Structure formats: structure tokens, C-alpha cells
Amino acid sequence: MNRAMRSVIYATLAVAGAMLPGLGLSQTNAPVADNAAPPLALVSTIDGAIGPATARQISTAIETAEERGADVLVLRIDTPGGLVTSTRDIVSDILASDIPVAGYVWPGGGHAASAGTYIVYATGIAAMAPGTNIGAATPVTMGGMPGTPQQPPGQEGKDGGGGSPSNEQALAKKSTNDAVALIVSLAETHGRNAEWAEAAVREGESVGAKMALELGAVELVASSLEDLLNQMDGREVLANGKPVTLSTAGARVEHLEPGFMTELLALISNPNVAFLLMMIGVYGIIFELSNPGSFGPGILGAICLLLGLYALNQLPLDHTGAALIVLGLVLMGVEAFTPTFGIAGFGGLIAFIFGAAILVDSDTPEFQLSWWTIAMTSLASAVLLIFLVGYTWRVMRRPVATGAEELQGAEARVLEWENGEGYVHVHGERWHARGPADLAPQSTVHIEKMDGLTLVVS
């Protein structure tokens, strides 16, 4: 075969290869689509008050969803409200997520009240299960918590006597306006009912799932997670400001459980637990300083104190309350090391009680110190102070047990005696003594005083 013939054959084969896709022979790759992995939907459940642990949980869930390239992250929400700082952190994380985030108020009977309303409005698609409700997002005057209704309409800016606005009312107005601006902005971002959102903040409005759907506060009402994923499929939502079309029908569902650090933070961020840890830490260190070398109480106390301070730092603290607690602990420490017969100790106890009562600046029960916790820690401190004062009083009244004062008035037995001096036996020791000239060995004498290293007896 000459070179010209080979060239013709090669050219013919090349043209045939180029025509194969058009002839339908490329359909051998078609089954690959059938074997493609189904969409991935990650689910994180929020149950309870919104706090630092919740913010950490959602932040971690979003990071995991982005790392794994999930098609959607579903936040199942059932909450009475939460801290405004944590809520804003969560809203910022959701808005900055590259993965679409869906908010699903679940289960039936659950609610997304207060802070939960802001979180649902921040998500790209909002849904509710039948029998749930959303709203009541009015911020409180103090405490940084969306959740407690403000003054009745028409009373803003008036004090109890109808005079000029008070500082507290001015702060309430600023807080409300700030909350309204946030939720209206979220509503406009995702095309939801901004008027109802404003009413939920200003008037404390709350609606059920069906009404929320009719008002345009949410996009979907879904009876189950599977129903939600099927209804979401094909919808266009915003993720980090970019439109994304959801592909969630038949998605593979994986639930994200909170990690150890999140669980630990959830435990210690309870104000009562944080407060008890701090108290254990303080008393452990006091015991270590009063009994150097024991190590155990000091190490345990230092760990508990650091954990307690870290947890309290995550909460909205009243600085006056914190200062009163520190003053109280210092005064009780002074009582332990420099007895003042209770003056410093009980003064510190009073400061401690007042400080504990106003320590956490929140009007929501989940983030307030329980009066039982305050009462029990105060009672324990009072018992310790009474013990210290009683012990100090007994020590002050106890006869001297060592030194020259202890020997004064004690009885001694004469061992040797001559010309008004000799040796006596007292407390198992042999002492040089002087006294009357006519003392006989084995006679009993009383010690009058100590002159240098010589006892004066009679």
C-alpha cells in the first residue's frame, strides 16, 4: 500500500470518528446520568433559646455544607427567642452563606418566636409545618432580647406622669426602630411581606402557618422534610446575594449533630451553670490559698473559674452586677484571711446577693439567673461565713497552748532542789527553776512566770 492510499484511509477514519456523535453512537455514556449521586440536603435542628451555642452550631453547619458542596442546608427551628447578639451573628452567617439556606419552623406545635422570626426571614426560603406559628418579634427595653412586648401604642415617649420622654423609653424606641430596619431589610431581600414583618416587631403580631403563607411571610407550608424538599425543587433563591436554582427533589438527607464544643458551650452558657462554676472556682482557690500544697482544690477551682468566666463573657452582663459580685467575693476573702468578726464577710455577702440579682442583663427566663441559684449560693456563703466567724471567736477565747503564756499557772513536779533553785518537770520537759528554798523532790509547784529560760515557781 503506497503512501497516498494510507493517507486516504486515515482521512476517512478521521471523518467517520467526527461523525459518531451525530450518528447517536455517543449514547453509550447515557447511563452515567442514571448513576449520578442524588442531591445532598443537610439538616440542623435548633431547639430552645437562641444563644452563643446556637450561633456556633449554625456557623459550623454552614461551613460543613460549603465544604461538602451540599445543595441546601435546612434549619429546623423551634425557639421562643434568644439573645440579640447571637441572633445577629446567625443572620450574618446565613446571608453570607454560599449554600442556599432554608428555614423550616418545625414540628407541629413549635414556633419561631422573637429571634426565630429574624432567622427565618434571613433564610433564602421560609417554610412552616402545619400547626406552627411565627412572630412576636418586639424587642425589649433592657436585656438585648427580641421577645417581650413594649408599651401599648400611643404611650411611646411618655413617662408615668405624662412628662418628657425618659432614657428608658428612648432606648426602647431606638431598639424597636433598629429591629424594624433589620427585619424589613431581610423581607425586601427575599421578597417577603415587609408590612407584616414590621407589625410583628412593633405590635408583637404572631400568625399560624396557613395565615403566614397567605400573607407572604413564608413561601411554603410543608408537612414533612421530604415534602419540603419536593416543594423547594426548582425554586430560585438567593445565596450570598446570588440567585441559585434549587435541586432538592429526592435529595439525600443527612442530619448534622452539634459537636462536643457546641454541646459544652450550650451547657456552660446557661447562666446558672456559669455562675455555679465561677463560685466553685473562687472557693476552690480560697481553700488552696488557706491550705497551701493541697493542689487539688486550686487546680479544680482554676478550671471552673475560667470556664465560668468564659461562659459569662458570652452573655449580656450588667457591669454593675459583675462589680458587686467581685466586691462581695473580695470582702468574703478578706474575712477568711483577716478575721473581722463578720463585718467584711456579711458586707460582702450583701454585695454578692445584689450583684447576682442583676448580673445577667436579660428579660428572658432562659438567660436569667434563677433565684434558687442565688439563694443557694448565698446560703452556702452565709454558712461558710458563720463557720469562719464562730471558729475565729472560739480561737480568740481558747487558752494559749504554746509559749511562756501557756506555762504560766501550770503545775510542775520538782526533780532536784537545793538553796532555792533546781529542776522541775512540766509537759514532759525538764526545766531549770528557782523559788522557795524549802522545796523537796517530787513535790508539786505552780509556775508563776518565765524569766528567760528559767521558770519562777511557788
Side-chain angles (χ1 to χ4, degrees):
M1 184 182 296
N2 58 28
R3 179 177 300 177
M5 183 62 70
R6 285 199 300 268
S7 300
V8 170
I9 293 174
Y10 291 154
T12 303
L13 291 176
V15 171
M19 293 176 63
L20 287 178
L23 296 174
L25 300 179
S26 62
Q27 290 181 358
T28 54
N29 295 327
V32 175
D34 296 335
N35 296 329
L40 174 61
L42 300 182
V43 180
S44 183
T45 301
I46 303 169
D47 185 14
I50 304 298
T54 314
R56 182 186 180 92
Q57 175 186 343
I58 294 178
S59 175
T60 303
I62 291 174
E63 290 177 2
T64 303
E66 291 177 344
E67 290 173 359
R68 299 185 58 183
D71 293 272
V72 68
L73 170 65
V74 179
L75 301 179
R76 295 196 302 192
I77 302 170
D78 180 14
T79 177
L83 299 176
V84 67
T85 51
S86 299
T87 302
R88 285 191 173 271
D89 289 341
I90 293 170
V91 168
S92 298
D93 288 339
I94 292 174
L95 294 177
S97 171
D98 292 325
I99 300 298
V101 180
Y104 182 36
V105 186
W106 176 91
H111 59 161
S114 186
T117 306
Y118 296 82
I119 295 173
V120 170
Y121 258 66
T123 57
I125 187 164
M128 298 175 68
T132 58
N133 64 280
I134 187 172
T138 307
V140 297
T141 302
M142 298 297 291
M145 289 280 293
T148 302
Q150 61 182 45
Q151 290 180 305
Q155 295 300 315
E156 297 88 348
K158 297 181 180 180
D159 58 17
S164 59
S166 67
N167 289 335
E168 183 176 345
Q169 290 157 352
L171 288 173
K173 186 175 181 180
K174 290 174 62 177
S175 178
T176 300
N177 290 338
D178 183 61
V180 166
L182 172 61
I183 202 164
V184 167
S185 174
L186 295 174
E188 292 173 346
T189 299
H190 298 294
R192 299 193 183 113
N193 191 328
E195 292 183 2
W196 178 85
E198 182 173 353
V201 176
R202 294 194 184 278
E203 309 296 336
E205 291 282 348
S206 182
V207 294
K210 183 177 179 180
M211 182 60 69
L213 182 63
E214 293 176 358
L215 290 172
V218 298
E219 286 80 37
L220 301 172
V221 173
S223 59
S224 65
L225 187 59
E226 182 181 2
D227 183 23
L228 172 65
L229 294 175
N230 288 333
Q231 290 192 54
M232 286 195 303
D233 187 62
R235 287 178 173 265
E236 187 177 273
V237 299
L238 288 180
N240 198 9
K242 302 173 184 177
V244 177
T245 301
L246 294 174
S247 176
T248 55
R252 176 167 52 95
V253 177
E254 290 188 18
H255 293 268
L256 299 177
E257 299 298 332
F260 171 76
M261 290 304 299
T262 301
E263 294 282 6
L264 176 63
L265 183 58
L267 174 64
I268 66 175
S269 61
N270 182 311
N272 298 289
V273 175
F275 188 70
L276 289 175
L277 284 172
M278 188 179 70
M279 293 304 301
I280 293 172
V282 169
Y283 284 125
I285 292 175
I286 289 177
F287 186 86
E288 177 69 33
L289 293 176
S290 60
N291 298 272
S294 52
F295 294 112
I299 295 174
L300 177 63
I303 294 173
C304 289
L305 182 60
L306 290 175
L307 284 174
L309 291 174
Y310 170 74
L312 289 175
N313 186 54
Q314 306 298 310
L315 301 172
L317 297 183
D318 185 288
H319 295 95
T320 302
L324 284 171
I325 287 180
V326 171
L327 175 62
L329 293 174
V330 168
L331 290 176
M332 285 189 280
V334 169
E335 183 65 44
F337 293 102
T338 308
T340 61
F341 297 98
I343 297 175
F346 285 102
L349 180 61
I350 293 172
F352 174 82
I353 293 173
F354 278 106
I358 63 174
L359 177 63
V360 181
D361 187 11
S362 173
D363 286 345
T364 295
E366 289 83 359
F367 291 98
Q368 283 184 332
L369 269 178
S370 166
W371 280 106
W372 280 106
T373 302
I374 297 174
M376 294 306 295
T377 52
S378 300
L379 180 61
S381 300
V383 169
L384 179 61
L385 285 174
I386 292 172
F387 171 77
L388 287 174
V389 172
Y391 178 78
T392 303
W393 181 256
R394 288 192 300 272
V395 168
M396 295 294 291
R397 294 174 60 87
R398 185 182 302 167
V400 180
T402 59
E405 292 81 359
E406 188 272 336
L407 290 175
Q408 188 174 350
E411 290 186 350
R413 180 168 55 86
V414 177
L415 298 177
E416 302 175 16
W417 202 260
E418 185 178 357
N419 299 326
E421 63 177 326
Y423 294 91
V424 298
H425 184 269
V426 58
H427 296 340
E429 298 176 332
R430 178 185 173 95
W431 285 82
H432 182 263
R434 69 172 185 268
D438 56 348
L439 294 179
Q442 303 304 319
S443 61
T444 301
V445 294
H446 292 275
I447 300 173
E448 292 184 348
K449 63 180 180 178
M450 184 175 181
D451 184 12
L453 294 178
T454 298
L455 301 179
V456 178
V457 301
S458 60

